Amino acid sequence: MERKTAIVTGASRGIGRAIACELAKEGMNIVINYASSEDAAKKTLEECRREAIESGNDEIKVILAKGDISKVVDCENICKTALEEFGRIDVLVNNAGITRDSLAMRMSDEDFDIVVKTNLYGPFYMMRQVTRPMMKQKFGRIINISSVTGLIGNAGQINYAAAKAGLIGMTKTFAREMATRGITVNAVAPGFVDTDMTSALPKDVEKSMETAIPVKRIGTPNDIAKAVSFLASDGAGYITGEVLRIDGGLAI
Ligand code: NAP
């Protein structure tokens, strides 16, 4: 059987890095996309290789694919790179995302646009791009990283909530369109996860979050990566159009 290939967008840091490493451990070839942090992306590449070797998958290949997913031409190039190198795309994890927070009444057009462009248009461009190769293979796994903010909203994040809720709508629609083609499309909705994205929050806010989370701890990138790895597996073929909350019970 041919080795599977996974593209993980925004894999230079945080949740994306953990997902890339987890899929490498499962024996997949990995395409690490990032926007600008080249050194961090190289670190992900080294970690993927190390973890793959440790789990007995020393023959996998890991490559970097720089590109801004809010730009359609960059998404085309990321997928072209993957196909040129590996000849197939089996798994797409739309993980790259940004925040530009402020209350709705003060939010600038620019901050609204860039968040929606990156967190909603980007996954759409990427999904559209992988459709043909996945249909040809009669196999595909698409996992979109949404957020509990897309489910329940969050003051100060009207742009982010709109994009993440839109991503859920897109996931369900694409799941219906692809269901007879062997392609599943699911979303995960993380709660509060310890990454650069959340590190700017003051310590007292972090403490109050911890108290509000039923399992009484903040999530780790690995908490998300384990679930994504399952949804990317052959065994998850009967799950499509699902939204899996991974939030320690925050949004129960
Ligand atoms: P992070 O630590 O800030 O990392 C963001 C990643 O996205 C980086 O690899 C970054 O690349 C990449 N990126 C940003 N803009 C990009 C663009 N235009 N094109 C390509 N790559 C881009 O974020 P994170 O916390 O790991 O979040 C990952 C995903 O989980 C996001 O979709 C986020 O919305 C979602 N999420 C996070 C949390 C949380 O609590 N952390 C909760 C719910 C959902 P560079 O390094 O090159 O900038």
Side-chain angles (χ1 to χ4, degrees):
M1 221 169 59
E2 258 189 277
R3 187 175 294 285
K4 291 202 168 74
T5 296
I7 300 177
V8 184
T9 68
S12 51
R13 302 181 271 127
I15 294 170
R17 174 182 284 171
I19 293 169
C21 290
E22 198 59 37
L23 298 181
K25 273 191 339 203
E26 291 301 317
M28 295 186 200
N29 292 321
I30 307 291
V31 180
I32 296 169
N33 159 255
Y34 63 101
S36 57
S37 312
E38 180 113 14
D39 287 347
K42 284 182 181 158
K43 199 166 163 229
T44 302
L45 187 146
E46 290 311 320
E47 275 187 32
C48 283
R49 279 205 187 120
R50 186 172 44 75
E51 295 202 25
I53 290 167
E54 278 170 17
S55 59
N57 285 303
D58 40 347
E59 279 170 18
I60 67 151
K61 270 182 94 175
V62 189
I63 63 166
L64 301 183
K66 185 177 179 179
D68 176 351
I69 53 132
S70 70
K71 299 197 166 70
V72 71
V73 62
D74 285 22
C75 293
E76 284 166 9
N77 286 333
I78 295 161
C79 295
K80 209 167 134 213
T81 303
L83 286 172
E84 278 170 6
E85 186 69 35
F86 300 116
R88 53 189 298 133
I89 300 168
D90 300 277
V91 176
L92 167 65
V93 184
N94 275 315
N95 164 80
I98 58 166
T99 52
R100 294 284 185 281
D101 299 351
S102 75
L103 290 176
M105 64 187 288
R106 290 199 210 107
M107 184 161 292
S108 67
D109 293 350
E110 291 74 24
D111 283 350
F112 194 89
D113 280 356
I114 185 74
V115 168
V116 174
K117 267 273 176 194
T118 306
N119 298 3
L120 186 63
Y121 281 52
F124 166 63
Y125 296 150
M126 289 298 295
M127 286 200 286
R128 188 174 58 184
Q129 204 60 36
V130 301
T131 306
R132 273 204 182 84
M134 285 184 176
M135 277 171 65
K136 221 167 100 195
Q137 293 156 197
K138 299 186 173 57
F139 180 89
R141 297 278 183 267
I142 298 174
I143 299 111
N144 293 321
I145 311 300
S146 180
S147 167
V148 291
T149 297
L151 295 171
I152 61 171
N154 193 22
Q157 293 199 304
I158 197 159
N159 48 0
Y160 186 79
K164 293 298 189 182
L167 187 53
I168 289 171
M170 237 158 55
T171 299
K172 292 180 179 182
T173 299
F174 207 50
R176 287 182 184 276
E177 291 184 7
M178 291 295 119
T180 58
R181 310 283 187 162
I183 301 168
T184 65
V185 190
N186 291 290
V188 301
F192 191 90
V193 183
D194 184 18
T195 67
D196 292 347
M197 187 176 271
T198 48
S199 65
L201 287 173
K203 279 282 156 227
D204 57 322
V205 175
E206 203 177 302
K207 262 269 149 276
S208 69
M209 286 298 301
E210 240 170 42
T211 315
I213 297 167
V215 304
K216 302 294 175 210
R217 74 169 173 85
I218 283 166
T220 66
N222 227 25
D223 288 327
I224 314 304
K226 291 281 180 198
V228 170
S229 170
F230 170 65
L231 290 172
S233 70
D234 288 351
Y238 204 58
I239 304 172
T240 197
E242 185 54 87
V243 183
L244 179 62
R245 266 194 310 106
I246 312 172
D247 64 350
L250 180 67
I252 290 172

